């Protein structure tokens, strides 16, 4: 254990951290980011008794990871017998916030998994109410530093990212067949920039296709769009029609690791899938346009298209 920015930092042990929590553990997730990491942790701790509460994209991932749909519980039912709570920290739902709120009221051990590198305080606030867990879990030193600066006097535990490790191990080594192929990993930014009528993710896409010549000269670049797990079906159909001259298609790979394995470049705004691609040795490009906030992913090696224009 060390202290950084007055927070208490705990290094991961060889034993999966879930084994250290009082059981049964209510596992509450909605957004895909934390769910992927939490599910990988659960698979590494098969002896732990879980009470799963998975909603939204997390419910789909639960089934994709081989767990039974019938095992899912409501939050109320899970908390009837839970002795601890592990929650995600997404922003598309209130269920994780409610889980931390109820855990505090019931005196249960509460832990939250942070899966990204932005908006840390806002992840724990709803309707003006801030509810922090007993301990935060992060999976790299970038997140550790951000969490320590954001939450002083908070217990923070650094875990290995088993989800990232599994993804990278499944991604094929870069080969000649991936040359000049670009995978664009989409994400719903859920806002518009000042002066722009369309959602911000479409502005980034427009900026990207307007500057294809800055990427490998742009000639012969084979481009596929991979939707985010929370994107509605058909969200990008009209955009593809409008930009048909570029020959861009939707990615139909069965997994993120398969999709990245077929690409030399991986582009996006600031989604965690870009970090997976970076760890797999791909060239990674942020497409956030000038006038938008700069990409907040702190990882070295990301190329910013706005700097090439």
């Amino acid at each position: 254990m060390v202290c950084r920015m007055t927070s208490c930092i705990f290094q991961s042990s060889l034993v999966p951290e879930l084994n250290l929590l009082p059981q049964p553990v209510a596992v509450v997730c909605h957004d895909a980011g934390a769910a992927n990491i939490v599910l990988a942790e659960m698979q590494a701790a098969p002896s732990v008794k879980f009470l799963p509460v998975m909603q939204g994209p997390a419910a789909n991932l639960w089934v994709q990871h081989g767990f039974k749909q019938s095992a899912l519980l409501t939050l109320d039912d899970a908390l009837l017998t839970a002795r601890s709570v592990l929650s995600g920290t997404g922003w598309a739902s209130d269920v994780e916030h409610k889980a931390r709120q109820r855990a505090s009221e019931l005196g249960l051990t509460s832990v939250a998994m942070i899966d990204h590198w932005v908006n840390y305080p806002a992840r724990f606030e709803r309707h003006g109410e801030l509810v922090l867990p007993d301990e935060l879990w992060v999976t790299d030193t970038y997140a550790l530093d951000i969490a320590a600066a954001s939450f002083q006097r908070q217990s923070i535990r650094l875990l290995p990212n088993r989800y990232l490790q599994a993804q990278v191990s499944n991604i094929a080594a870069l080969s000649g067949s991936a040359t000049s192929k670009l995978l664009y990993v989409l994400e719903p930014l859920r806002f518009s920039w000042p002066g722009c009528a369309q959602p911000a993710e479409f502005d980034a896409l427009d900026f990207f296709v307007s500057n294809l010549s800055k990427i490998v000269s742009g000639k012969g670049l084979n481009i596929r769009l991979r939707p985010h797990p929370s994107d509605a079906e058909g969200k990008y159909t009209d955009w593809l029609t409008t930009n048909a001259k570029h020959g861009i298609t939707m990615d139909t790979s069965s997994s993120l690791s398969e999709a990245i394995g077929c690409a030399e470049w991986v582009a996006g705004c600031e989604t965690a899938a870009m970090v997976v691609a970076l760890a797999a040795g791909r060239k990674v490009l942020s497409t956030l346009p000038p006038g938008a906030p700069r990409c907040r992913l702190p990882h070295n090696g990301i190329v910013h298209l706005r700097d090439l224009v």
Side-chain angles (χ1 to χ4, degrees), residues 74-92:
T74 66
L75 179 59
D76 287 342
D77 286 344
L79 293 179
L80 285 175
T81 56
R83 295 184 58 210
S84 62
V85 173
L86 171 60
S87 57
T89 53
W91 61 342

Side-chain angles (χ1 to χ4, degrees), residues 116-117 185-187 228 267-276 295 297:
H116 209 279
W117 300 268
V185 282
L186 296 156
E187 63 181 308
H228 190 271
C269 292
E270 53 185 16
T271 175
M274 295 162 62
V275 177
V276 176
C295 174
L297 294 177

Side-chain angles (χ1 to χ4, degrees), residues 159-172:
L159 281 66
N161 192 331
R162 292 184 172 87
Y163 166 73
L164 178 63
Q165 293 168 357
Q167 289 291 312
V168 171
S169 68
N170 289 331
I171 294 173

